[in-house]
Amino acid sequence: MDGTSIDGIDIRLVTALLQEIGYTPRFVPCPWIRGVAMIETGDADIISGILKRQDRENTMIFLEPPYKTRSAKVFYLRNNTPDIIHYTDLSHRSIGTQRGAQYFEQFDSDTSLNKQPIHNNALNFKKLISGRINTIIVTESIGDYLIAELHIADKVKKATFRYDSVIPVYFALSKKSSLVQCLPQLLKANRLLKESGAFDRIIDTFFERLHQPATPDQ
């Protein structure tokens, strides 16, 4: 599947990065956990939206600097359901998560919570709307995008409690990728696009267009 067939923030960010060094990406839609595995095995070259971890550095090269450093984790609820004001309010609630994703240390390591992982955040929103789970946790930008795409803004709300801290988010290159030979150029392009504000403009423009009213047929 080529880059013109699908769209999204990550599609545009990766395209901008690779075009800067003269490459046109070919995207492979897949669940997050499979995408990470493909990077580890060398079946995919590059991934975005990934957090740096020591175990991942065995198979991946993280492009410095991170292309964004703030990644709010938000809990979404159905309208007219009790708010989540404190972390302890998560107790006794069923929580939709994305399989293989990490959110924040307290939540990730808390085995007392009723987490229900599946491979797709859009499916989590559908489960939320149907009442099969009480809440979902997702990165705010992804959640807002999916709410607009699924046309459910009138059905869900954000909880008061959220985790909003500095979290570096990276592009990572498979150590088995042929793109490793282009690492100096990739690092230079990544830094240029970050420091010039190009990545931020791509993100801002995407959300501005997403929330514009549809143009009627002429």
Side-chain angles (χ1 to χ4, degrees):
M1 179 176 292
D2 63 35
T4 63
S5 303
I6 52 178
D7 194 17
I9 296 172
D10 291 284
I11 301 296
R12 297 185 184 192
L13 291 170
V14 172
T15 298
L17 175 65
L18 292 182
Q19 285 183 343
E20 190 71 21
I21 65 167
Y23 281 78
T24 299
R26 181 176 63 87
F27 296 101
V28 182
C30 63
W32 172 255
I33 196 167
R34 187 189 305 167
V36 172
M38 290 174 69
I39 292 292
E40 292 172 344
T41 60
D43 292 317
D45 298 295
I46 192 168
I47 191 170
S48 61
I50 194 164
L51 306 184
K52 183 189 285 190
R53 294 195 332 226
Q54 187 172 3
D55 60 319
R56 288 175 173 169
E57 290 187 273
N58 294 327
T59 56
M60 305 178 195
I61 300 170
F62 289 83
L63 302 187
E64 296 285 358
Y67 66 86
K68 67 175 181 176
T69 54
R70 186 162 294 277
S71 182
K73 307 304 179 184
V74 173
F75 292 89
Y76 291 85
L77 301 156
R78 291 187 306 280
N79 285 339
N80 304 317
T81 57
D83 195 6
I84 299 169
I85 300 175
H86 307 288
Y87 181 84
T88 52
D89 294 334
L90 294 171
S91 178
H92 307 300
R93 301 204 194 197
S94 52
I95 308 165
T97 63
Q98 184 178 32
R99 186 172 288 113
Q102 291 192 320
Y103 301 99
F104 57 96
E105 176 58 31
Q106 182 182 15
F107 180 84
D108 295 337
S109 61
D110 192 340
T111 58
S112 70
L113 297 177
N114 179 15
K115 304 173 192 175
Q116 298 189 15
I118 59 175
H119 72 277
N120 188 297
N121 280 315
L123 290 179
N124 265 330
F125 272 108
K126 292 175 182 178
K127 288 177 66 177
L128 178 66
I129 294 301
S130 67
R132 294 162 59 196
I133 52 177
N134 301 128
T135 184
I136 71 171
I137 181 174
V138 64
T139 300
E140 187 171 29
S141 59
I142 296 173
D144 289 351
Y145 167 73
L146 289 172
I147 286 169
E149 284 287 291
L150 297 170
H151 306 290
I152 56 173
D154 60 334
K155 296 181 175 65
V156 298
K157 63 183 179 180
K158 296 177 185 179
T160 299
F161 176 77
R162 56 192 279 147
Y163 185 82
D164 192 0
S165 185
V166 174
I167 303 176
V169 182
Y170 289 85
F171 298 108
L173 187 67
S174 171
K175 287 188 175 180
K176 296 183 178 181
S177 169
S178 60
L179 280 177
V180 170
Q181 64 185 346
C182 301
L183 183 58
Q185 297 98 305
L186 277 169
L187 289 169
K188 181 179 179 180
N190 180 63
R191 183 172 294 279
L192 173 66
L193 293 171
K194 171 61 178 176
E195 293 181 352
S196 69
F199 287 144
D200 290 335
R201 288 193 295 273
I202 289 170
I203 294 170
D204 291 343
T205 299
F206 182 83
F207 278 106
E208 287 170 5
R209 291 178 179 174
L210 185 66
H211 291 101
Q212 286 177 352
T215 302
D217 294 335
Q218 300 296 318

